[in-house]
Amino acid sequence: MSVLVYTESEQGKFKKVAFEVASYAKEVANQLGTTVTAVAINIEDASELANYGVDKVLNVSADSLKDFNAKAYASTLRQAAEKEGAKVVIVSSSTDSKTLAPILAINLHAGYASNVVAAPTSTNPFTVKRTAFTNKAFNITEINSDVKIVGVSNNSFGLVENSGAATVESFAPSLDDSLFGVKVDSVDKVSGKVTIADADIVVSAGRGLKGPENWGMIEELADVLGAATACSKPVSDLGWRPHGEHVGQTGKPVAANLYIAIGISGAIQHLAGINASKVKVVINTDPEAPFFKAADYGIVGDAFEVVPQLIEKLKEFKANNA
Amino acid sequence: MKILVCISHVPDTTSKINFTEGDTKFDTNGVQFVINPNDEFGLTRAMWFKEKQGATVDVVNVGGAETESTLRKALAIGADGAIRVNAAATDGFFVAKQLAEVAKNGGYDLIIAGRESIDYNGGMVPGMLAELIGANFVNNCINLEVDGTAATAIREIDGGKETSSTSLPLVIGGQKGLVEESDLRIPNMRGIMMARKKPLNVVEPTDAEKETTAVKFEKPAPRGAVKLVDAGNIDELISLLHNEAKVI
Ligand SMILES: Cc1cc2nc3c(=O)[nH]c(=O)nc-3n(C[C@H](O)[C@H](O)[C@H](O)COP(=O)(O)OP(=O)(O)OC[C@H]3O[C@@H](n4cnc5c(N)ncnc54)[C@H](O)[C@@H]3O)c2cc1C
């Protein structure tokens, strides 16, 4: 009855979040006195998971699973969970995991708690802490069903090294044609760019930047920091930046270690989306901007003067600390 | 085409969030309730199908009598009929089960839900519903076209978007992008008058177990005051981020 964990990958390599959910699964397994089995799909080298406490990897190689397909992935996980007699399944909070988890929940008759931010406080009853009201509060939730699915909020648990050895076993789920009712025609993805979901650091800018032509310095700052770029809602509504970058209550949630907000006022709907970030830095000309109340560090100043200096100084800092 | 739009009744985005009864209940005192923003995009897309392709549109909510104002608003925007399943929406699975029952009984071709409700943010109802009724499912949907029983959908993925082809019956988890923000509709006087005459059927819930229980709420710990750094002293900011916050 090991704890099952779905470890996501991209082009044959694990995503960072895979190691975070593996770390989480190890903690749950310790609490339950059992082992961790990971499901990895189309991975070149699955052995890396052993560093994060995984005891066994079910390695799935299947052309039909090349593109993400919610039902087929959920079916794969269901079959793995049944094979392992898993009572707890751990997934991440990526867009894909959040899409497959509800389907898996129905398949396994499992209760599902999403956006979980900490290890279970008890395993009997199974109790987790999750965010609610778009990060304006936490909700302590009990999962009552026999099988349980936990969706871990990105960057909330962190990576915990737990070196050991993992056995790797190939696993071939049976996948019926009926699972493939949704067919991917094309994927349009900016490659080589850090995404908001995976990022440790997010550099975000708002209407204070005056126009899309001024985003060069935001991207450069993000580049220096290895960060993802994001924006406030009006910025994407105005078409200055793509919709996928809009952060907040009606946009993306951001749970980064560092969130830098430049020329963003800090309206309640924006703050809701970034509350889960650990350290917040605000750069704004208006000392009364509400964002300063939510920030850890702030500079009252003009973005057009502060940001270029920040880029230069960070480059120096990186050079000296490389 | 028969469309069902799932409407969640949620606190307005500016609401202050507080709890009562020993932090076990959401405090609705002074809170304005609205159509869940993700559902509002879906409802508007449904209106587009109604006007351009002659679809009929029903809206549904699982909730107590207090949610009828939200359903009436959806009727005023142009939905043809409304259904309220008379039960508190306390668990995602429970809600999905109720919606599945309504969907099956009504023979809907397309069911539009929101990616998540902005209150409990469970994000599970649309996917569970799709699986319960055996429909195709596209989450985080930002564009949808339907031609006969074929559908083309675009969904947002981490770092980009993905286009897929599928067929009805279909459930989508919609969000911003499904229609332009500027196309969202505000009910006008005529719509409000007409909404009074439209059917709002109340049905009793079907049996379903509650798989999760929200036992208690907590508010984030209050944070300390912001440390202000002089605009001329960027070195200090970098040092704080490196030595104190340890994030760079
Ligand atoms: C239903 C609903 C949902 C919403 N959801 C979201 C959401 O998910 N996310 C979101 O972001 N918003 C959301 N909003 C909008 C939100 O209320 C605010 O309007 C928005 O966050 C403001 O964006 P902004 O701070 O970029 O722009 P503004 O409010 O225009 O603020 C710009 C800021 O830039 C500063 N500034 C100006 N010039 C400079 C300069 N040269 N250097 C530095 N600073 C400068 C100004 O002092 C000001 O503080 C929502 C609103 C509604 C009604």
Side-chain angles (χ1 to χ4, degrees):
Chain A
M1 71 139 254
S2 27
V3 172
L4 195 78
V5 58
Y6 168 47
T7 50
E8 283 167 77
S9 56
E10 200 163 37
Q11 288 165 344
K13 304 251 182 314
F14 287 114
K15 296 209 240 171
K16 191 190 92 186
V17 72
F19 303 130
E20 184 172 25
V21 286
S23 306
Y24 190 98
K26 174 67 178 170
E27 165 67 26
V28 177
N30 284 345
Q31 290 193 17
L32 292 170
T34 181
T35 56
V36 178
T37 300
V39 177
I41 298 178
N42 292 331
I43 270 291
E44 285 155 19
D45 174 14
S47 63
E48 235 180 322
L49 288 177
N51 300 335
Y52 299 93
V54 171
D55 301 284
K56 176 167 157 190
V57 184
L58 296 178
N59 204 11
V60 182
S61 298
D63 262 357
S64 61
L65 299 179
K66 189 168 64 64
D67 292 313
F68 174 76
N69 177 302
K71 286 198 186 200
Y73 274 50
S75 174
T76 302
L77 289 172
R78 176 191 51 82
Q79 293 172 52
E82 283 169 0
K83 174 176 148 60
E84 295 295 301
K87 295 284 184 216
V88 183
V89 181
I90 312 292
V91 300
S92 82
S93 286
S94 72
T95 316
D96 288 352
S97 279
K98 279 190 161 176
T99 300
L100 72 82
I103 297 175
L104 181 63
I106 297 297
N107 292 177
L108 287 172
H109 303 288
Y112 165 45
S114 58
N115 304 321
V116 169
V117 292
T121 45
S122 144
T123 53
N124 188 20
F126 198 92
T127 310
V128 286
K129 180 173 178 171
R130 57 185 302 278
T131 58
F133 297 95
T134 323
N135 293 317
K136 289 180 200 164
F138 297 106
N139 172 212
I140 311 301
T141 296
E142 278 177 22
I143 310 182
N144 317 321
S145 50
D146 182 33
V147 183
K148 295 143 184 93
I149 303 179
V150 177
V152 182
S153 206
N154 293 4
N155 281 330
S156 63
F157 190 73
L159 303 183
V160 183
E161 300 228 11
N162 249 310
S163 76
T167 55
V168 180
E169 187 178 298
S170 42
F171 179 60
S174 76
L175 299 169
D176 204 270
D177 277 354
S178 66
L179 296 168
F180 296 89
V182 180
K183 285 191 187 62
V184 175
D185 299 327
S186 65
V187 176
D188 174 9
K189 208 166 168 172
V190 193
S191 60
K193 232 188 119 187
V194 188
T195 66
I196 296 174
D198 300 332
D200 285 331
I201 304 181
V202 172
V203 176
S204 190
R207 199 146 55 174
L209 270 261
K210 316 275 191 282
E213 67 281 4
N214 297 324
W215 247 262
M217 64 181 187
I218 301 301
E219 295 199 317
E220 195 180 346
L221 177 59
D223 244 20
V224 177
L225 290 165
T229 53
C231 67
S232 66
K233 178 167 174 287
V235 165
S236 72
D237 287 345
L238 288 162
W240 297 356
R241 299 297 291 176
H243 279 316
E245 286 197 5
H246 150 208
V247 156
Q249 187 144 19
T250 52
K252 289 236 155 57
V254 173
N257 285 328
L258 172 61
Y259 186 81
I260 305 182
I262 303 163
I264 301 179
S265 57
I268 189 164
Q269 297 96 345
H270 187 87
L271 296 181
I274 59 119
N275 267 342
S277 292
K278 294 201 180 79
V279 175
K280 298 164 201 118
V281 174
V282 168
I283 300 169
N284 198 306
T285 42
D286 176 8
E288 303 297 325
F291 220 137
F292 285 114
K293 292 206 177 64
D296 300 283
Y297 304 102
I299 291 185
V300 178
D302 187 337
F304 296 97
E305 286 161 22
V306 175
V307 176
Q309 281 188 57
L310 184 57
I311 293 169
E312 285 323 305
K313 299 277 188 189
L314 275 170
K315 279 185 182 160
E316 277 172 38
F317 169 81
K318 292 270 166 185
N320 296 334
N321 288 272
Chain B
M1 179 163 56
K2 275 191 86 176
I3 304 176
L4 181 66
V5 183
C6 307
I7 300 282
S8 181
H9 164 89
V10 298
D12 163 64
T13 58
T14 55
S15 305
K16 295 258 182 300
I17 303 299
N18 290 304
F19 302 99
T20 55
E21 300 180 32
D23 287 335
T24 60
K25 293 251 153 33
F26 174 60
D27 183 359
T28 55
N29 220 332
V31 171
Q32 275 277 104
F33 281 82
V34 296
I35 300 177
N36 182 41
N38 291 309
D39 306 347
E40 209 179 349
F41 289 102
L43 177 63
T44 309
R45 189 64 190 165
M47 289 301 111
W48 186 92
F49 285 120
K50 174 175 163 154
E51 285 152 19
K52 305 279 188 219
Q53 302 187 351
T56 60
V57 178
D58 288 341
V59 290
V60 59
N61 166 266
V62 179
E66 70 283 0
T67 72
E68 288 190 4
S69 55
T70 296
L71 284 173
R72 287 274 172 219
K73 187 174 166 200
L75 289 171
I77 286 172
D80 301 298
I83 302 149
R84 178 171 69 81
V85 181
N86 189 26
T90 46
D91 162 54
F93 173 72
F94 177 84
V95 172
K97 196 81 187 263
Q98 306 311 322
L99 295 174
E101 200 63 22
V102 170
K104 276 190 250 172
N105 293 338
Y108 294 96
D109 309 291
L110 173 63
I111 299 167
I112 302 180
R115 154 192 98 181
E116 67 176 19
S117 290
I118 63 165
D119 49 3
Y120 291 88
N121 310 101
M124 62 184 84
V125 168
M128 288 182 166
L129 166 60
E131 196 60 12
L132 285 169
I133 63 170
N136 289 317
F137 177 50
V138 176
N139 204 11
N140 301 89
C141 190
I142 52 173
N143 192 51
L144 179 69
E145 307 282 348
V146 177
D147 181 6
T149 59
T152 308
I154 302 181
R155 72 171 183 119
E156 194 174 289
I157 55 177
D158 293 337
K161 47 192 172 184
E162 178 189 272
T163 306
S164 57
S165 16
T166 183
S167 60
L168 306 181
L170 172 68
V171 176
I172 65 162
Q175 63 179 54
K176 180 184 161 191
L178 209 43
V179 295
E180 289 302 322
E181 176 114 5
S182 52
D183 290 335
L184 291 178
R185 302 182 184 191
I186 298 160
N188 57 25
M189 215 19 156
R190 186 164 168 270
I192 294 166
M193 299 304 286
M194 279 170 64
R196 294 201 185 139
K197 301 203 188 85
K198 290 181 180 172
L200 195 163
N201 295 326
V202 178
V203 300
E204 290 308 314
T206 182
D207 275 352
E209 61 274 41
K210 291 190 173 118
E211 292 184 332
T212 58
T213 315
V215 283
K216 213 172 163 49
F217 295 93
E218 282 173 10
K219 301 241 279 182
R223 61 176 47 244
V226 59
K227 268 196 190 162
L228 286 180
V229 175
D230 193 86
N233 196 356
I234 305 287
D235 286 325
E236 190 190 339
L237 178 67
I238 292 178
S239 151
L240 285 167
L241 292 179
H242 181 62
N243 298 315
E244 187 177 87
K246 303 197 189 320
V247 286
I248 60 168

